[in-house]
Structure formats: C-alpha cells, structure tokens
Amino acid sequence: MEHVLKSVTDSTGTLDILRDIHFSVPPHQTLAIVGASGSGKSTLLSIMAGLDTPSSGTVRLDGQDLFALDEDRRAALRAQKLGFVFQSFQLLGHLTALENVMLPLELAGRKDARKAATEMLGRVGLGQRLGHYPKVLSGGEQQRVALARAFVVQPAVLLADEPTGSLDYATGETVMELMFTLNREQGTTLVLVTHDTGIAQRCERRITIEAGRASG
C-alpha cells in the first residue's frame, strides 16, 4: 500500500478519511490494525481488498496493482487470493452451513467442493451441523462457518473486520484461537481490524490508525 488517500466530499466540504497510508505486509505475517471507532480502520481494510477505491495511491496484492485492473479482473484476483471474515458473519440465510462453505469452491470450479467443505466444517467443530441454516446456529457457530468459508479456499491473505465484535468474550476467545490455529496451519497472511487490545497483542505487528494516519 503506497501513499493511499481516501476523501469524501459532501455539501459541508471534503473530509480526509485516510491520509498518506503507506506500509507493506510480508507473506505469513499477522497484522492488527487498531484505532478508535470512526478512525478509518474498516475503510482501510476495504481498500486493501479492492472493495473500496482510494482517492489516490497504489494498492498491490501479490505484486498486482489492484486499481489498475478492471472490476471483473479485480474480483477474480480477490477470489484467488483473499478470504474475508466479517463481524456480521455475512452468511447466506437460504443456504445451509455446508452450502455456504461450498459456495466459494463452486465459484472457483472445484470438483471436490462438497468434500473440502465438509472436512473444513469438521475442522471448526461443526461436523454435526452441516445441514443447519444460519438462523438456527448461535453467533459463535455462525462465525465458525464464516471462518470455514474463508479458509477452505486456502487464501494467501485473510482479511478480518472485528471478527469477534458481536460475540461474547468466551465465544470470541474460542473463535480467535481457531482463527490463529488455521492461520498457522495454512501459512496465510492475516490482517485483522480490531478494537480488542488483547487480540491485537497476539499479532506479530500492530498498525494504529489515528486521525486518518497510520503509525507502527
């Protein structure tokens, strides 16, 4: 990420959300992005994923300039390289746990989607919940489905936005332990937005966003 600026303009003027953000994340590193609510952490994560567009600057994923690609090629690169975990789980309510985890594999044309998804759900402790829909799963179970969906494609980079933000402390601890374990096993680069200092301290590196600027 090179000299990224993100501004928004409305009737009251221009607001700089991110100002000259410049850092790189080596392969396999665990990085926590921390900062107060409204500091721009989630905006930064969205730009890193190519989901939001910077006003200026460059973002590279595996050497590719994300914003030099058109939307379709950017989406294809995301599908190949990135996994996502969100605070709100982002599961599809009309699909079972198994179908939610199979979906990215099917989109990638994997013939073994059912087998790989079943194995990953077993890995996160949900081998008996394959046919259950999100509405009958607890928050912790839904987040474990989301983790399985993210890791099943073995992404080079996993981006997580407040993954324990809607969970109680004990459940959040279980989910984070699982995330770090899967991360170590797969050698994934982990970039984690969090307000939880305990979680941030478990990462190898921390970047603090304050007044739109990054330090650390």
Side-chain angles (χ1 to χ4, degrees):
M1 180 167 287
E2 302 166 11
H3 305 294
V4 165
L5 170 73
K6 178 65 177 182
S7 300
V8 293
T9 302
D10 62 17
S11 59
T12 63
T14 298
L15 173 65
D16 291 335
I17 299 173
L18 298 173
R19 308 179 185 189
D20 196 30
I21 304 292
H22 188 91
F23 65 87
S24 60
V25 186
H28 315 308
Q29 186 175 70
T30 54
L31 168 67
I33 299 174
V34 299
S37 179
S39 61
K41 304 186 300 296
S42 294
T43 299
L44 176 58
L45 202 71
S46 292
I47 289 173
M48 292 177 73
L51 295 168
D52 195 358
T53 305
S55 303
S56 63
T58 303
V59 180
R60 300 184 193 280
L61 174 60
D62 198 25
Q64 291 252 36
D65 183 345
L66 277 179
F67 298 102
L69 304 174
D70 63 30
E71 195 169 326
D72 287 345
R73 292 170 64 201
R74 196 157 60 239
L77 184 62
R78 270 198 303 272
Q80 292 169 8
K81 301 288 184 180
L82 291 180
F84 301 91
V85 179
F86 302 95
Q87 177 178 341
S88 56
F89 317 136
Q90 299 288 335
L91 300 178
L92 297 177
H94 65 286
L95 299 182
T96 64
L98 179 61
E99 290 165 343
N100 266 284
V101 179
M102 286 174 61
L103 185 59
L105 297 170
E106 291 175 327
L107 292 173
R110 288 268 297 270
K111 303 295 186 185
D112 64 338
R114 180 172 292 273
K115 179 175 183 290
T118 300
E119 289 175 354
M120 183 55 74
L121 281 164
R123 180 69 186 80
V124 302
L126 293 176
Q128 304 303 312
R129 307 286 268 169
L130 304 181
H132 290 71
Y133 290 91
K135 67 182 179 181
V136 298
L137 299 175
S138 69
E141 288 172 332
Q142 289 185 62
Q143 193 60 297
R144 282 188 279 157
V145 174
L147 280 182
R149 182 182 59 188
F151 277 105
V152 75
V153 295
Q154 299 189 317
V157 180
L158 180 73
L159 303 176
D161 191 1
E162 299 282 10
T164 62
S166 58
L167 304 176
D168 64 73
Y169 177 79
T171 304
E173 283 290 295
T174 300
V175 165
M176 286 311 306
E177 188 58 46
L178 182 59
M179 177 179 285
F180 281 112
T181 298
L182 291 171
N183 181 71
R184 286 191 300 270
E185 290 177 358
Q186 293 193 5
T188 304
T189 303
L190 175 62
V191 181
L192 175 70
V193 162
T194 184
H195 66 278
D196 187 318
T197 55
I199 292 172
Q201 287 170 355
R202 296 180 64 177
C203 294
E204 297 165 316
R205 179 182 172 200
R206 273 175 288 171
I207 287 177
T208 301
I209 305 295
E210 189 173 6
R213 297 189 183 278
S215 60

